[in-house]
C-alpha cells in the first residue's frame, strides 16, 4: 500500500491523459526527485512524481494547502499568443 492506495486499486483506476503547463524550475525539481530516487535504485517517471505530489498535497489541511500554494509562482494560463 502506497499513499493509501493498494496496487489492485491503482490497476483498476482508469487512466486519464491531460496536459498541464510547468515552468523550467518545475522540470528541474522533477529531475532532482528522479535523481534522488535513482540513488536508492528506485525509478520514477515524471507522471508518477506528479501523482505522488498530488497525493501528498491532498493530505494537507486547508491552511497548509493555502500556505503552500502561496509559495508557488502563478503562471499564465492558456496558449501563448503568436507573434
Amino acid at each position: 500500500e502506497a499513499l493509501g492506495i493498494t496496487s489492485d486499486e491503482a490497476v483498476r483506476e482508469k487512466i486519464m491523459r491531460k496536459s498541464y503547463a510547468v515552468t523550467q524550475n518545475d522540470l528541474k525539481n522533477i529531475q532532482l526527485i528522479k535523481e534522488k530516487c535513482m540513488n536508492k535504485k528506485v525509478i520514477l517517471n515524471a507522471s508518477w512524481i506528479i501523482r505522488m505530489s498530488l497525493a501528498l498535497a491532498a493530505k494537507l489541511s486547508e491552511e497548509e494547502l493555502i500556505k503552500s500554494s502561496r509559495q508557488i509562482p502563478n503562471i499564465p494560463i492558456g496558449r501563448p499568443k503568436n507573434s
Side-chain angles (χ1 to χ4, degrees):
E1 189 174 315
L3 297 174
I5 299 174
T6 65
S7 58
D8 289 340
E9 290 173 329
V11 169
R12 283 185 250 131
E13 189 172 358
K14 183 176 180 180
I15 305 298
M16 305 298 292
R17 306 269 181 230
K18 299 290 272 179
S19 176
Y20 296 96
V22 295
T23 64
Q24 287 289 342
N25 194 50
D26 294 332
L27 294 176
K28 287 178 186 176
N29 283 333
I30 289 171
Q31 187 59 38
L32 178 68
I33 293 168
K34 284 182 178 183
E35 290 170 8
K36 285 181 177 183
C37 291
M38 287 289 285
N39 290 339
K40 298 293 183 180
K41 297 184 176 28
V42 174
I43 299 172
L44 300 180
N45 61 30
S47 182
W48 191 321
I49 293 168
I50 292 167
R51 292 191 330 270
M52 180 175 59
S53 302
L54 289 169
L56 292 169
K59 291 182 177 186
L60 297 175
S61 69
E62 289 179 8
E63 292 79 21
E64 292 170 323
L65 191 58
I66 299 304
K67 183 178 178 181
S68 295
S69 73
R70 291 184 177 134
Q71 297 173 19
I72 306 297
N74 190 21
I75 56 175
I77 59 172
R79 297 192 181 271
K81 295 179 182 178
N82 293 336
S83 30

